[in-house]
Amino acid sequence: MTQLQQARENKITNEMRRTAEYEVVDPEVIRQLIADGFAVLPKNIKHNIDTPRVIGKNLDVKVNVNIGTSKDYSSFEEEIVKAKVAFTYGADAIMILSTWGDLRKMRREIVELSPVPVGSVPIYDAAVRSYRENKKVIDFSEGDFIEMFKEHAEDGIDFMTIHVGVTNDVVKRLKKTERILKIVSRGGSIVSGWMLENKLENPFYSHFDEILSIASEYDITLSLGDGMRPGAFVDGTDDLQLEELFVLGELVKRSRAAGVQVMVEGPGHLPIDQIEMNVRLAKTITDDAPFFVLGPVVTDCAPGYDHIVSAIGGAIASMHGTDFLCYVTPAEHVSLPTAEDVKEGLIVSKIAAQAVNASRKRKRAYQREKKMAIARKEFNWDEQMKLSIDKGEKLKQYREKRPYSEEGCSMCGPFCAIRIVEKYSDGK
Ligand code: SF4
């Protein structure tokens, strides 16, 4: 039985208990959220997860890290290093988006290594295999859509993105769109390219019952991909994006009816003033399914800083109900990220999540802020390092670069506000 089916039968699983401990809530809260479909607990029955995570309404905002090879940079070892960096700096989930090398070997190895849920996009495998056989990227069969999904399920993947909302109707609209950047989703472009070439409905959609049956067998959490997400500031919130979202709303209902856990993916690139409306719309149309966003990227004019641009969007989106942030690295839209880029992207996303979690008075995040305030007041630099999201690395660097011999720091020296007020406020 899936976590959802067990939750509906009033059973609190071990995983629910462990995530409840992490969230500092009663396990019954987790069970009820999962039973209602407002939260998901991605865990393939074949994957032993040390630290399972539950994602959804009124819970801590979580952060996902993407790793994966490309044709020009396909070092398996480098991707393992990136995965380890992600685990060290607290990723709540990791997605393997490789498009070169031995995809299956890499997938299995990361699943084996990962203490957190692992996600993937199975359609990449079909496209990569086809390209490597000197065929077109979209030269694969209808059966491959299902075959790849099954293969990833067997390999222990916990959640999978399928671009199932890219239906014939949506693709028809694509032909008329006035968007500047038509599709920026790699999976969305492969699926719609395949549909246009073969003049067929999206097999993920036409065979959705088969997908549900495999997902139910392995307890795969479906992540309904947003193949039509806007990919530029000026393209935010248009008919194409919304038409796909309505399809996703229908698929959420079908997934839940089949006992399959489901979350929904969202934009993309959006102006700041459209974020709240997008989150509320998605939550309303999908009946509060957990919402997973990439970014949102709030300006396209800062290449090299997209991690910061996305963290701004991610913080705003989370304040309005987004549950799961996909990190973005500084290399986004420019090149395949290095391990250092993964680290920077993750830390910045974790900052956005911490800021939102603490302001919502989520227990762990709020306590961390409180401890940090005390550590700052006491000039307890070791404690400040321990509480820092980057494990104190930057703090240490700055302390060493510009040291100060007394209490306080070299910013104000003897005029340290904290020291002055402590000294005089208690009458010394
Ligand atoms: S010296 Fe200034 S910046 Fe440094 S801790 Fe004191 S008040 Fe803060």
Side-chain angles (χ1 to χ4, degrees):
M1 282 211 289
T2 65
Q3 296 283 336
L4 171 56
Q5 288 160 341
Q6 294 181 78
R8 281 181 185 155
E9 293 199 357
N10 286 322
K11 185 167 177 227
I12 294 176
T13 63
N14 281 337
E15 290 79 16
M16 290 176 205
R17 256 179 237 292
R18 282 155 67 198
T19 53
E21 255 170 56
Y22 180 80
E23 300 283 339
V24 203
V25 294
D26 191 286
E28 174 55 21
V29 172
I30 303 292
R31 187 205 63 75
Q32 190 63 57
L33 285 170
I34 294 174
D36 290 337
F38 301 157
V40 290
L41 197 162
K43 193 205 165 297
N44 186 317
I45 53 164
K46 298 185 101 178
H47 186 198
N48 290 321
I49 303 182
D50 292 341
T51 51
R53 290 284 185 264
V54 65
I55 300 158
K57 198 174 175 179
N58 300 332
L59 299 170
D60 279 7
V61 173
K62 310 291 184 312
V63 176
N64 172 71
V65 158
N66 291 338
I67 60 160
T69 55
S70 69
K71 183 171 173 290
D72 291 336
Y73 293 93
S74 58
S75 160
F76 179 69
E77 292 71 28
E78 191 186 347
E79 295 312 311
I80 297 285
V81 172
K82 289 182 196 172
K84 288 185 176 164
V85 164
F87 305 144
T88 304
Y89 290 92
D92 296 297
I94 188 163
M95 287 189 84
I96 319 164
L97 307 183
S98 288
T99 54
W100 212 251
D102 187 339
L103 303 187
R104 195 155 201 198
K105 181 173 177 250
M106 188 173 308
R107 190 157 59 238
R108 286 176 166 172
E109 201 133 323
I110 302 280
V111 167
E112 183 74 31
L113 265 179
S114 179
V116 291
V118 182
S120 69
V121 184
I123 201 64
Y124 290 175
D125 286 41
V128 172
R129 197 180 56 195
S130 178
Y131 183 80
R132 292 173 79 151
E133 288 168 3
N134 292 322
K135 294 190 282 186
K136 284 181 281 187
V137 169
I138 49 157
D139 238 342
F140 48 86
S141 75
E142 193 163 355
D144 285 332
F145 282 74
I146 313 299
E147 203 41 52
M148 293 302 136
F149 187 87
K150 184 142 202 231
E151 196 174 288
H152 284 230
E154 278 167 2
D155 291 343
I157 294 292
D158 306 292
F159 62 103
M160 284 187 222
T161 297
I162 54 167
H163 299 87
V164 56
V166 182
T167 59
N168 274 336
D169 287 341
V170 174
V171 169
K172 246 186 247 161
R173 201 174 282 276
L174 176 67
K175 290 183 187 163
K176 296 185 278 183
T177 185
E178 288 177 7
R179 274 186 182 187
I180 293 180
L181 284 164
K182 286 190 176 175
I183 296 185
V184 294
S185 153
R186 198 155 57 184
S189 70
I190 293 167
V191 170
S192 45
W194 186 95
M195 291 163 66
L196 288 163
E197 178 86 352
N198 292 286
K199 298 185 177 46
L200 286 171
E201 180 52 283
N202 178 348
F204 282 137
Y205 187 74
S206 50
H207 296 269
F208 195 56
D209 285 336
E210 259 178 89
I211 293 285
L212 289 175
S213 138
I214 300 165
S216 168
E217 185 185 341
Y218 291 87
D219 199 359
I220 306 299
T221 296
L222 295 183
S223 190
L224 304 180
D226 54 341
M228 296 296 160
R229 68 172 174 264
F233 178 96
V234 291
D235 292 335
T237 324
D238 63 0
D239 53 347
L240 208 49
Q241 180 201 339
L242 296 182
E243 180 154 356
E244 183 186 35
L245 180 60
F246 283 112
V247 182
L248 301 186
E250 166 209 322
L251 297 165
V252 165
K253 283 191 194 129
R254 286 176 64 187
S255 305
R256 286 178 181 170
V260 170
Q261 302 192 81
V262 63
M263 58 185 167
V264 170
E265 296 183 13
H269 293 232
L270 283 179
I272 280 180
D273 67 336
Q274 293 180 16
I275 295 177
E276 178 179 0
M277 180 259 293
N278 266 267
V279 178
R280 291 193 192 280
L281 203 56
K283 283 278 184 178
T284 304
I285 291 169
T286 65
D287 183 28
D288 267 326
F291 196 42
F292 180 20
V293 301
L294 178 82
V297 173
V298 292
T299 167
D300 297 336
C301 298
Y305 298 90
D306 268 353
H307 56 321
I308 295 169
V309 170
S310 302
I312 295 169
I316 298 169
S318 304
M319 273 313 288
H320 294 296
T322 291
D323 311 289
F324 196 19
L325 299 177
C326 187
Y327 92 145
V328 169
T329 76
E332 182 79 2
H333 303 120
V334 183
S335 68
L336 190 78
T338 61
E340 190 53 33
D341 297 324
V342 168
K343 180 175 146 188
E344 270 192 64
L346 173 56
I347 288 167
V348 174
S349 271
K350 294 274 297 183
I351 293 170
Q354 166 68 20
V356 174
N357 291 335
S359 75
R360 282 179 174 168
K361 299 268 193 315
R362 300 285 312 146
K363 284 223 176 77
R364 250 168 350 98
Y366 187 75
Q367 281 308 321
R368 186 176 189 168
E369 296 292 342
K370 212 165 174 183
K371 285 183 193 160
M372 188 57 122
I374 295 165
R376 287 176 58 212
K377 178 176 163 170
E378 293 173 348
F379 301 103
N380 185 342
W381 301 103
D382 288 341
E383 180 71 356
Q384 288 182 52
M385 275 193 258
K386 247 187 0 209
L387 292 164
S388 300
I389 290 169
D390 72 346
K391 301 185 178 296
E393 290 175 15
K394 275 266 162 99
L395 189 155
K396 190 163 182 279
Q397 274 171 27
Y398 283 110
R399 292 283 298 163
E400 284 169 4
K401 200 155 61 175
R402 295 244 156 137
Y404 183 59
S405 51
E406 296 174 41
E407 274 194 329
C409 71
S410 54
M411 171 79 184
C412 322
F415 309 104
C416 172
I418 299 173
R419 223 155 49 113
I420 292 172
V421 83
E422 278 303 302
K423 190 169 171 185
Y424 294 105
S425 65
D426 66 1
K428 282 180 200 162

